[in-house]
Each structure stands twice: as structure tokens, then as C-alpha cells.
Amino acid sequence: MNREASIKRETAETKIALTLHLDGTGKSMIDSGIGFFDHMLNLMTAHGLLDLELRCDGDLEVDGHHSVEDIGIALGDAFKEAIGDKKGICRYGTFYLPMDEALAFVTLDISGRPFLVYDGGEMAPMVGGFDTELVEEFLRAFAVHAGITLHVKILYGTNTHHKIEAIFKALGHALRIAVSNDPKVTGVPSTKGML
Ligand SMILES: [Mn+2]
């Protein structure tokens, strides 16, 4: 089974085209229009061993909000399509990731029940041209559209670049674990028989 999906999404605010492979090697070609966000998506795909091609032409003359949120939506839609019937997957993924002085915790469930719990703590308002409030907007859009339960917490740290980087790397690792195949799981990993 080829676990991949391509999404084209166009609104008055953003035009997005992306292709996601869940069983990749961590290759990416990403142009979101926001340098710091490209850096974060690159890290997520590299650490998640996903392959991601993504281009977004968004209304950055307004700010980065529409682009970041809509990329979350499109990436979530692609994930949901690519994961398919969820047979044989580990389903849960949990990871602690240190980045120098910062520590991020991410745990997720490919549950079909979209939910985000986010506690990023205090952050500087901007990193480069990226508004740090958009971390939560991206994660919520991704979790809702992917159909996953996602909990993200920064336990401690001081540098905002490090904190956000730790979140995206941890998310990559948690996804990598959750989507991987467990040879002992033959069907859908739920007592209900579906996710
Ligand atoms: Mn960095």
C-alpha cells in the first residue's frame, strides 16, 4: 500500500499544493513563503521520515496567519487520506525532545477524534518573520483535519527558536512512531474495530 496523498487547495487567501508520503526518507521541498516556517516543516519531515513537497502562495501582505493555518489544513487532509484504513499501525506516538535548554513533549493518537491540547508557555512574539502565536494555529488545523488527538507541551526553556524547533522535531518523531507498522497488529488497532 502506497501511503501518500496530494492536495490542492485554493481560496481567496492562499493557494497550496502539496504531496505527502508517510513512508519516506525525510526529503522535503518546502516553500511556504515564510522562512522560519519552512525551517520548521523541514525539521518535522526530516525527523518524521516523511517526504513532503509543499508550495504555498498566500496573502503574506496581510500576515502569515492564513498561510500557516491553511498549510495545517492541507497537511492534515493529506495525512488523513494517506493513512487510509489505519490497519496495522502503532496508532500512538510519544516523544520528548530536547533542544539545548528547551524540552518539548508531544504525544498523539491517530484516533479519528480531532483534539488539540497545547501549552507552549511564554514565547517571544516573533521569530524572524514568524508570529509565534501561529504554532498553535498550525497544530490545531493539522490535528483537526488529520483526525488525530494531539497534545503538545513545552516543559521548560528560554529561547523561543529552540522551543518551537523542539515542538516540530518532537511532532515528527511522534508521527513516525504512530504511523509505523506493528507486525503484531493485523487489523485496526482499536477494540471498536474502527478509528
Ligand atoms: Mn533552528
Side-chain angles (χ1 to χ4, degrees), residues 39-40 161 165:
H39 179 35
M40 294 303 107
H161 187 124
E165 186 159 330

Side-chain angles (χ1 to χ4, degrees), residues 30-45:
I30 293 167
D31 182 5
S32 72
I34 304 167
F36 181 77
F37 193 45
D38 288 352
H39 179 35
M40 294 303 107
L41 293 173
N42 255 306
L43 293 169
M44 186 183 86
T45 55

Side-chain angles (χ1 to χ4, degrees), residues 5-174:
S6 291
I7 299 283
K8 276 199 168 42
R9 187 177 189 278
E10 297 199 1
T11 72
E13 296 167 344
T14 61
K15 290 184 176 53
I16 295 171
L18 71 81
T19 299
L20 174 70
H21 295 253
L22 296 184
D23 302 296
T25 56
K27 293 192 302 279
S28 61
M29 282 205 354
I30 293 167
D31 182 5
S32 72
I34 304 167
F36 181 77
F37 193 45
D38 288 352
H39 179 35
M40 294 303 107
L41 293 173
N42 255 306
L43 293 169
M44 186 183 86
T45 55
H47 286 265
L49 295 181
L50 309 165
D51 289 345
L52 177 63
E53 281 176 42
L54 184 154
R55 177 164 177 84
C56 174
D57 292 307
D59 56 355
L60 295 177
E61 70 283 3
V62 177
D63 66 6
H65 195 115
H66 301 142
S67 291
V68 172
E69 185 175 19
D70 290 359
I71 287 170
I73 290 169
L75 198 59
D77 286 342
F79 181 89
K80 189 169 191 172
E81 187 180 327
I83 196 73
D85 63 11
K86 303 173 187 164
K87 281 186 181 151
I89 63 169
C90 287
R91 177 179 166 182
Y92 295 96
T94 297
F95 215 82
Y96 283 97
L97 194 135
M99 169 93 200
D100 294 351
E101 86 299 340
L103 183 65
F105 171 71
V106 170
T107 187
L108 62 89
D109 176 10
I110 304 173
S111 58
R113 292 192 311 283
F115 208 97
L116 174 71
V117 178
Y118 176 77
D119 179 4
E122 297 229 340
M123 289 189 186
M126 299 291 291
V127 179
F130 181 80
D131 174 355
T132 60
E133 283 187 341
L134 298 179
V135 175
E136 183 170 5
E137 298 307 308
F138 168 79
L139 294 171
R140 182 178 298 108
F142 175 68
V144 166
H145 284 262
I148 67 175
T149 305
L150 176 62
H151 293 220
V152 173
K153 184 172 173 66
I154 291 291
L155 285 102
Y156 45 77
T158 51
N159 181 276
T160 297
H161 187 124
H162 291 166
K163 290 178 185 174
I164 298 173
E165 186 159 330
I167 288 171
F168 278 85
K169 285 175 169 172
L171 176 58
H173 280 280

